Amino acid sequence: MVMATKESMIQILQVLGEEVPVIKSVISRLLCAVLSTADCERGFSVMKLLKTALRNRISQQHLNAAMLVKIEGPDDHAFDFEQAKAIFCRNKKRRVV
């Protein structure tokens, strides 16, 4: 079985044009298909880091938000914890150690 490359599929799509709409539709969908599972695996790895034995009752909404921050958010080294602590204390009277 010969595997078609992305370039050969694009060339077939250009040659056939509007003559064979079914094949054009199939090739267009194949070109949009995901060829890697890296994003899915990254998501499961992050979920494994976040959902620990101590956080086993985290809601789906909070898990989604935490995963989004972990994957798309700023780097851990860029976060200013002192500024976050100041904002946290300023919003409500709290006893902070």
Side-chain angles (χ1 to χ4, degrees), residues 32-86:
C32 294
V34 177
L35 301 177
S36 173
T37 61
D39 289 334
C40 179
E41 291 173 13
R42 186 177 302 113
F44 280 113
S45 294
V46 168
M47 185 169 54
K48 184 179 177 185
L49 289 172
L50 292 173
K51 195 160 183 169
T52 63
L54 295 174
R55 290 193 202 137
N56 65 351
R57 291 185 169 210
I58 189 170
S59 69
Q60 187 66 42
Q61 181 181 6
H62 287 106
L63 180 62
N64 288 344
M67 286 179 66
L68 184 65
V69 168
K70 185 70 176 169
I71 293 172
E72 302 291 335
D75 196 16
D76 293 343
H77 304 292
F79 188 77
D80 186 4
F81 288 97
E82 290 301 319
Q83 182 183 5
K85 179 181 172 184

Side-chain angles (χ1 to χ4, degrees), residues 2-53:
V2 177
M3 297 296 290
T5 64
K6 181 179 177 181
E7 290 77 21
S8 66
M9 292 175 77
I10 291 172
Q11 187 178 22
I12 292 169
L13 195 60
Q14 290 170 344
V15 170
L16 290 178
E18 298 298 323
E19 294 177 21
V20 189
V22 174
I23 292 179
K24 182 180 179 181
S25 174
V26 169
I27 291 175
S28 296
R29 290 181 184 169
L30 284 174
L31 289 173
C32 294
V34 177
L35 301 177
S36 173
T37 61
D39 289 334
C40 179
E41 291 173 13
R42 186 177 302 113
F44 280 113
S45 294
V46 168
M47 185 169 54
K48 184 179 177 185
L49 289 172
L50 292 173
K51 195 160 183 169
T52 63

